[in-house]
Amino acid sequence: MVTQSEISEQQRVDRVFRALADATRRDIVRRTLHAEASISELAADYDMSFAAVRKHVGVLEAADLVARTPRGRERIVRGNPETIRRAQQLLAHFEQIWRGRVDRLDALLAEDA
């Protein structure tokens, strides 16, 4: 039986990967991991409205990939490397599973040779 905590973790992972499915959001994460930026600064580099960039930042914030903090009249966006690290660990786990299957297949093929 799946526990509530496991469901919650699965939902968190789903939000992260859904957020990273968009190229603009991946770019925002990349930029804000390198250096914090205001939403206005981020918006200046995209061919979309300020509101659209703010919406992208909201999706990233909901996935805990960035944090938005007020500084005067602006909202400063900073990437969250810990969430990226957790996603990377999950992908590494999937890779281990895949490599284990390939290794077992190789062993089976070697037995037949």
Side-chain angles (χ1 to χ4, degrees):
M1 180 161 197
V2 179
T3 67
Q4 186 61 34
S5 149
E6 290 171 324
I7 291 171
S8 177
E9 180 60 25
Q10 288 173 359
Q11 290 170 338
R12 242 186 325 274
V13 168
D14 288 347
R15 278 193 302 271
V16 168
F17 285 104
R18 248 186 258 126
L20 292 173
D22 181 86
T24 300
R25 290 194 289 265
R26 286 191 306 273
D27 189 57
I28 291 170
V29 169
R30 180 192 59 77
R31 291 173 60 194
T32 59
L33 284 170
H34 179 68
E36 64 182 30
S38 70
I39 296 177
S40 299
E41 291 168 333
L42 292 169
D45 289 339
Y46 301 111
D47 189 24
M48 63 181 72
S49 69
F50 174 86
V53 173
R54 187 175 57 212
K55 220 175 200 181
H56 280 301
V57 169
V59 170
L60 292 169
E61 191 174 29
D64 198 29
L65 287 161
V66 301
R68 184 174 24 178
T69 55
R71 187 179 295 158
R73 291 180 29 188
E74 294 187 311
R75 299 296 175 256
I76 303 301
V77 182
R78 180 178 302 115
N80 183 353
E82 183 54 37
T83 300
I84 296 295
R85 202 173 352 271
R86 284 195 312 265
Q88 186 177 20
Q89 289 169 347
L90 177 64
L91 292 173
H93 175 71
F94 288 155
E95 181 180 6
Q96 287 177 331
I97 292 169
W98 177 77
R99 287 185 186 279
R101 288 182 178 185
V102 170
D103 290 345
R104 286 191 300 278
L105 180 60
D106 285 346
L108 284 172
L109 293 174
E111 288 176 9
D112 289 343

